[in-house]
Amino acid sequence: MAKTLFDKIWDAHAVTEVTDGPTQLYIDRQFAHEVTSPQAFNGIRERGLGVMRPSKTTATPDHNIPTWNQNQPISDPISKFQVETLTKNCEEFGITLYGLGNKKNGIVHVVGPENGYTLPGMTIVCGDSHTSTHGAFGTIAFGIGTSEVEMVLASQCILQPRPKTMLINIDGELGDAVASKDVILYIISQLSTGGGTGHFVEFAGSAITSLSMEARMTLCNMSIEMGARGGLIAPDQTTFDYIEGREFAPKGEDWDKALAYWDTLKTDEDAEFDKVFNFDAADIEPMITYGTNPGMGVGITGSIPSLSDIDEAGQATFKKSMDYMGFQPGDQMVGKKIDFVFVGSCTNGRIEDLRTFCSFIKGKKKAEHVTAWIVPGSRQVEKQAREEGLIEILTEAGFVMRQPGCSACLAMNDDKIPAGKYSVSTSNRNFEGRQGPGARTLLASVLTAGAAAITGEVTDPRTMMESAEPALV
Amino acid sequence: MAIEKFSTVTSTCIPLPIENVDTDQIIPARFLKATTKEGFGDNLFRDWRYDEQDQPKSNFVLNDPTYSGQILVGGKNFGSGSSREHAAWAIAGYGIRVVVSSFFADIFKGNSLNNGVLPVQVSEEFLAKIFKAIEADPKTTITVDLPEQSITLDTTEDSEKFEINGYKKNCMLNGYDDIDYLLSNKDKIEEWEKTSFY
């Protein structure tokens, strides 16, 4: 029977099927961080169990660490204890840890791919919903709860109901300054924040295959924001070129074997999906969100819907959202004054994001009233940015690069947007309070964030570009 | 680690007729610094429940003495966003045993089941009926019967069936968790590993 790529990987990892229940799925790689793992380690300890396959879990603190003065002890004692608990747990159970200050430390979904841990055909989990990022390599990667982290530590397996499959096909060429971030914000705006629930998505089509790996990661990263269990893209030469030579990638004879296997990782021609959506790349313009979930987005030249555009059942929620954001239904987005810009996160904190941002702001000056936090996704990204001279470009334009971490994406550390302030953010969620209590988040691409940082208001990046060229990411 | 057994719950309800209630609202990130599962109930819906001076907001349902109970009724797409199981711990910690909605986010649903909190998915129509009944009489009780997989508005006897897979139902009824099951298959896991590419 013809199979989708998702079915092939899922079936290959099914240890057994529970009668009238979920699949027992083998997990090839687990990533762990300080926030969602301590209770799982406590659990196996209380049960008197060990970690079944310690070499298949890799840990790095990222959510709850400062992005300034990382060489000094963490000042918040509760955060410090949480980070130290991860260190202790990894030592006790023999798990590789890239701790604070380690040259491989960084956001878990940046660290995995850049070190060659993430490989096509794998099943990957982490106690973080943006684990879907790794789907860019043709993996089944999804976020899990802490009870499930405990399951994987104890048995290298997880019990999961089999999701349905969805194909999202995007053909055509992306327009000027349209990034994969805009593509995914567009898809979510069309399908809604729950439109993918219960499904695992495969992204395909010429607009997808032409994307770089970094751009594919941005796309798959936010598949959870449409409620999908995860999103994946069939591996191709772009994938193989990215992986080759990375530290934990297969080498020599193993590389050849891996390539032969990876070549089989594609959806069969006549395979059927439970749902199919087709989009035209030409319909997508730079996007920005105006509300309090990632589905509340419009093209940057567009306006917020008016109340009559919203179905009656959703009107109360829509009004609540507008009150929170301080916007009126029908408002134009361009020209809205902003206070903060955040470039970073597992969505847009990779080297290509920083390159794109720097090539855009080079020779320009940050608006004086804007506070900008530029946060690399990992120590390696930070190092590369330094080596490529990006720091100088940032400094000249009035920006400062901070140290790696999840930072203002979820504001667990001190990187909080003050109440009532507007933040154009390259992160993934614009929920109430996500970037700090009362903070108002407008999600956008790196280029749109760059444009806002320079003008101090929501700005169409296309109006500021010297040469019309597609965005890198 | 056994979870609390679940059979039948009859209770008044806490209505939260808002759509897309995400896990950042259920428990904001700054409260995720604990290394145990206890105490999250105190910060359930923290920023909807308390103002910047940590004073209760009188217009939020958890601060309204009219409403209480073990059943939380939410708008559609309940539990979207972050995978934080702390959201389920906060709900369980507050004393809620059932969350009713017309649609749940996947990860939240799994996390709830793993903590003895039953997510009950009903039709849009039935959800509207529940909200209306609670609005008309806050003392309205609902009975959630897991063995029968039914949810009933006790005053009118309006009832609907809900779905749960047989395995999870059995776990909830008996207080089993998944690790016991997984480890009982250790030989199968090791057998599988022999065929693994990685």
Side-chain angles (χ1 to χ4, degrees):
Chain A
M1 205 184 104
K3 282 183 170 185
T4 68
L5 172 56
F6 170 82
D7 293 323
K8 287 183 188 179
I9 302 173
W10 183 278
D11 292 344
H13 288 81
V15 173
T16 182
E17 303 285 341
V18 184
T19 316
D20 190 17
T23 305
Q24 179 170 344
L25 203 64
Y26 192 87
I27 300 303
D28 292 316
R29 172 69 42 200
Q30 170 161 250
F31 294 110
H33 62 85
E34 76 279 25
V35 176
T36 59
S37 67
Q39 295 87 350
F41 283 109
N42 287 347
I44 54 167
R45 210 176 276 124
E46 283 164 23
R47 288 171 202 262
L49 296 170
V51 173
M52 188 173 165
R53 298 285 178 258
S55 66
K56 289 181 187 280
T57 293
T58 311
T60 183
D62 55 5
H63 281 60
N64 192 11
I65 56 171
T67 58
W68 205 250
N69 291 335
Q70 285 187 350
N71 58 337
Q72 291 170 24
I74 299 174
S75 57
D76 171 14
I78 305 172
S79 301
K80 184 167 179 272
F81 182 74
Q82 195 176 45
V83 172
E84 286 171 354
T85 301
L86 179 67
T87 307
K88 273 191 206 148
N89 284 331
C90 288
E91 278 170 4
E92 180 180 340
F93 293 104
I95 289 168
T96 300
L97 169 78
Y98 301 125
L100 203 53
N102 186 292
K103 63 181 185 186
K104 289 196 183 75
N105 175 251
I107 304 174
V108 64
H109 309 309
V110 177
V111 169
E114 75 186 359
N115 288 294
Y117 279 114
T118 302
L119 300 171
M122 278 185 162
T123 47
I124 298 177
V125 295
C126 174
D128 186 282
S129 59
H130 293 108
T131 308
S132 54
T133 311
H134 307 268
F137 293 79
T139 68
I140 292 184
F142 55 92
I144 58 175
T146 299
S147 296
E148 294 167 318
V149 172
E150 189 180 335
M151 289 179 211
V152 179
L153 290 173
S155 70
Q156 207 52 44
C157 287
I158 192 170
L159 290 175
Q160 282 295 295
R162 187 186 189 111
K164 291 181 176 157
T165 55
M166 179 187 287
L167 175 67
I168 295 181
N169 207 55
I170 307 168
D171 279 317
E173 244 178 80
L174 295 173
D176 295 341
V178 175
S180 68
K181 179 64 164 285
D182 300 308
V183 175
I184 189 66
L185 284 173
Y186 174 80
I187 294 170
I188 303 165
S189 76
Q190 298 297 304
L191 302 184
S192 92
T193 186
T197 303
H199 291 77
F200 211 99
V201 179
E202 179 171 348
F203 296 102
S206 58
I208 303 299
T209 50
S210 62
L211 296 173
S212 69
M213 283 316 292
E214 281 88 348
R216 292 180 192 187
M217 284 189 250
T218 303
L219 185 81
C220 291
N221 171 280
M222 285 190 71
S223 50
I224 178 69
E225 306 311 335
M226 53 189 273
R229 210 61 191 85
L232 56 68
I233 297 171
D236 58 11
Q237 197 56 47
T238 305
T239 322
F240 310 147
D241 290 346
Y242 178 95
I243 296 170
E244 192 170 12
R246 292 188 187 261
E247 186 167 345
F248 298 101
K251 307 265 168 10
E253 216 174 286
D254 288 342
W255 174 255
D256 297 334
K257 262 193 232 162
L259 272 185
Y261 169 51
W262 296 347
D263 250 343
T264 68
L265 295 172
K266 41 177 84 75
T267 290
D268 295 331
E269 241 172 60
D270 37 1
E272 284 186 16
F273 290 82
D274 295 302
K275 270 190 190 167
V276 178
F277 293 97
N278 292 294
F279 295 106
D280 183 349
D283 292 340
I284 307 173
E285 64 167 340
M287 296 286 293
I288 192 140
T289 65
Y290 56 84
T292 51
N293 74 56
M296 300 174 85
V298 284
I300 192 145
T301 57
S303 307
I304 299 174
S306 45
L307 202 55
S308 56
D309 297 332
I310 309 294
D311 66 54
E312 217 182 303
Q315 286 191 1
T317 304
F318 179 75
K319 275 192 218 158
K320 183 178 188 301
S321 177
M322 288 298 99
D323 284 349
Y324 182 85
M325 293 301 292
F327 291 157
Q328 294 297 322
D331 277 2
Q332 268 233 322
M333 289 310 290
V334 165
K336 284 204 176 289
K337 192 167 174 257
I338 62 111
D339 310 289
F340 280 75
V341 166
F342 172 57
V343 176
S345 84
C346 58
T347 310
N348 279 126
R350 297 183 184 79
I351 188 64
E352 204 172 279
D353 298 301
L354 293 188
R355 283 182 197 142
T356 302
F357 185 80
C358 287
S359 75
F360 183 82
I361 54 119
K362 191 175 182 178
K364 303 183 178 82
K365 287 276 179 215
K366 180 181 76 64
E368 256 181 50
H369 74 273
V370 170
T371 304
W373 290 330
I374 315 298
V375 184
S378 70
R379 285 287 296 268
Q380 290 187 45
V381 170
E382 184 186 24
K383 179 167 175 269
Q384 223 171 329
R386 207 170 289 285
E387 286 167 0
E388 293 179 15
L390 301 185
I391 309 281
E392 286 74 19
I393 298 173
L394 288 169
T395 310
E396 232 164 81
F399 294 91
V400 178
M401 191 166 78
R402 299 178 72 87
Q403 290 170 310
C406 295
S407 181
C409 174
L410 84 167
M412 262 195 92
N413 65 0
D414 291 337
D415 305 348
K416 289 178 174 60
I417 311 293
K421 298 291 181 190
Y422 290 96
S423 158
V424 174
S425 178
T426 67
S427 55
N428 40 57
R429 288 187 174 133
N430 50 351
F431 297 149
E432 285 184 34
R434 173 78 181 183
Q435 295 198 286
R440 294 158 161 170
T441 302
L442 287 74
L443 299 176
S445 74
V446 166
L447 281 177
T448 303
I454 301 298
T455 64
E457 54 187 45
V458 173
T459 304
D460 183 345
R462 292 171 297 192
T463 60
M464 295 175 67
M465 288 168 74
E466 286 156 23
S467 59
E469 59 185 38
L472 285 169
V473 290
Chain B
M1 243 26 65
I3 54 171
E4 199 179 336
K5 287 183 190 177
F6 192 109
S7 174
T8 298
V9 167
T10 298
S11 169
T12 51
C13 304
I14 302 169
L16 191 62
I18 297 168
E19 295 181 356
N20 306 317
V21 172
D22 59 76
T23 52
D24 273 86
Q25 307 317 313
I26 299 173
I27 183 88
R30 62 186 190 283
F31 299 107
L32 308 185
K33 296 181 183 183
T35 51
T36 65
K37 297 181 184 179
E38 285 77 43
F40 290 103
D42 295 343
N43 293 312
L44 175 67
F45 293 116
R46 178 78 203 191
D47 292 337
W48 286 353
R49 197 168 148 197
Y50 297 99
D51 65 16
E52 289 107 76
Q53 283 75 47
D54 293 330
Q55 294 306 307
K57 294 182 181 175
S58 59
N59 61 353
F60 186 62
V61 66
L62 293 190
N63 298 321
D64 184 343
T66 319
Y67 303 102
S68 62
Q70 293 178 282
I71 301 176
L72 176 68
V73 188
K76 85 172 169 204
N77 197 24
F78 191 91
S80 55
S82 156
S83 60
R84 60 189 69 165
E85 193 161 318
H86 312 65
W89 299 333
I91 287 174
Y94 189 80
I96 290 165
R97 297 297 318 272
V98 180
V99 183
V100 180
S101 176
S102 57
F103 195 75
F104 287 97
D106 293 324
I107 306 178
F108 176 79
K109 198 194 279 184
N111 286 343
S112 298
L113 287 166
N114 286 335
N115 287 280
V117 173
L118 183 67
V120 174
Q121 186 161 328
V122 296
S123 67
E124 297 265 359
E125 297 72 36
F126 197 72
L127 185 69
K129 225 178 250 181
I130 296 173
F131 280 132
K132 232 178 226 165
I134 302 169
E135 201 185 335
D137 177 10
K139 296 290 160 224
T140 298
T141 61
I142 284 179
T143 297
V144 173
D145 185 328
L146 179 58
E148 289 299 319
Q149 294 179 225
S150 69
I151 171 166
T152 307
L153 267 164
D154 295 323
T155 42
T156 60
E157 293 188 359
D158 263 327
S159 192
E160 212 174 74
K161 291 275 181 189
F162 63 86
E163 283 184 28
I164 180 171
N165 73 55
Y167 167 79
K168 267 294 165 196
K169 181 177 174 178
N170 193 41
C171 287
M172 288 286 283
L173 288 171
N174 295 295
Y176 299 153
D177 76 7
D178 289 344
I179 292 189
D180 307 324
Y181 178 87
L182 287 166
L183 288 174
S184 71
N185 284 331
K186 202 162 179 201
D187 50 340
K188 284 186 188 158
I189 299 171
E190 282 166 356
E191 199 56 38
W192 185 92
E193 284 179 325
K194 291 180 192 156
T195 68
S196 165
F197 185 80
Y198 292 110

